[in-house]
Amino acid sequence: MRRLLAGMAAAVLLAGCTSGSDAVDVNSGGEFRFVEATPSGEVIPPDERASAPEFSGTLLGGGEFSSAELSGDVAVLNFWGSWCPPCRVETPQFQEVYADVRDDGVQFLGLNVKETDEQFALNFVDRFGIEFPSLHDPRGEVALAFRDYPANAIPSTIVLDREDRVAAVYTGEISQDDLRRVLDLVLGEA
């Protein structure tokens, strides 16, 4: 029995955050699949940055949010799910960074995706003491808005500069040190 349980646990760990054949239907009638993340990151030079798409939605626990609220600040968008093992490692580190930079013109926004029961997401936020807001996006509509970037890999992190342009994109778990470095870089831009 222990071997069976160990084998099943290993299979779950090897699967990462891939969703396999589970697709998220979107309003356009198409499918949007979440795929296993490839740990990589890219900082985009300022003269090559594109504007981030506008988006809005409902926050976990209620209330509306619009991406216009991020305007003028550096923003960290983190696509996560309570079902994602790397998110459990990364999210508490994000909270630590957020606590250090929230008064420096940096906003954090979580985007909870593919979570059919909002209570799982709320429990996750409570468990890790997350103070920054998260949108509840069970259908992945915001991730779809970022289709030019790999936001369909969970976890993914997108950093926006003060001009609402995509400054950095990370797929997979991002270390606290890497996140701090890119924030220092973007905050230091004129």
Side-chain angles (χ1 to χ4, degrees):
M1 183 66 166
R2 283 188 179 187
R3 280 191 178 156
L4 177 61
L5 290 175
M8 289 171 48
V12 168
L13 288 175
L14 287 174
C17 293
T18 185
S19 67
S21 63
D22 294 336
V24 177
D25 293 324
V26 293
N27 288 336
S28 64
E31 290 184 335
F32 188 60
R33 299 183 186 279
F34 289 93
V35 297
E36 186 172 359
T38 303
S40 65
E42 176 188 7
V43 177
I44 302 166
D47 61 342
E48 296 177 22
R49 294 179 186 164
S51 293
E54 293 179 9
F55 62 91
S56 61
T58 303
L59 294 168
L60 285 174
E64 294 302 311
F65 182 88
S66 167
S67 59
E69 295 177 44
L70 303 171
S71 208
D73 286 334
V74 172
V76 176
L77 310 178
N78 179 247
F79 295 82
W80 64 276
S82 68
W83 44 267
C84 166
C87 299
R88 293 182 203 127
V89 173
E90 179 183 72
T91 303
Q93 295 179 22
F94 273 51
Q95 175 57 40
E96 288 180 33
V97 175
Y98 171 71
D100 290 343
V101 300
R102 65 179 156 203
D103 295 329
D104 298 333
V106 179
Q107 293 189 54
F108 278 56
L109 178 67
L111 295 121
N112 173 249
V113 295
K114 205 171 179 197
E115 197 87 60
T116 54
D117 186 342
E118 184 179 4
Q119 192 58 49
F120 289 126
L122 290 168
N123 290 345
F124 182 90
V125 167
D126 287 343
R127 176 179 172 202
F128 291 110
I130 306 306
E131 297 173 336
F132 55 86
S134 281
L135 286 182
H136 183 56
D137 188 24
R139 295 166 40 118
E141 292 168 344
V142 176
L144 187 59
F146 280 91
R147 71 180 57 141
D148 293 337
Y149 305 96
N152 63 329
I154 304 302
S156 286
T157 301
I158 296 175
V159 178
L160 305 180
D161 65 17
R162 288 183 181 102
E163 298 175 32
D164 303 321
R165 300 177 304 170
V166 176
V169 178
Y170 293 87
T171 56
E173 181 183 333
I174 179 175
S175 74
Q176 186 176 136
D177 290 341
D178 287 341
L179 181 58
R180 288 182 189 277
R181 268 192 291 278
V182 76
L183 289 175
D184 287 344
L185 176 74
V186 176
L187 283 168
E189 295 173 353

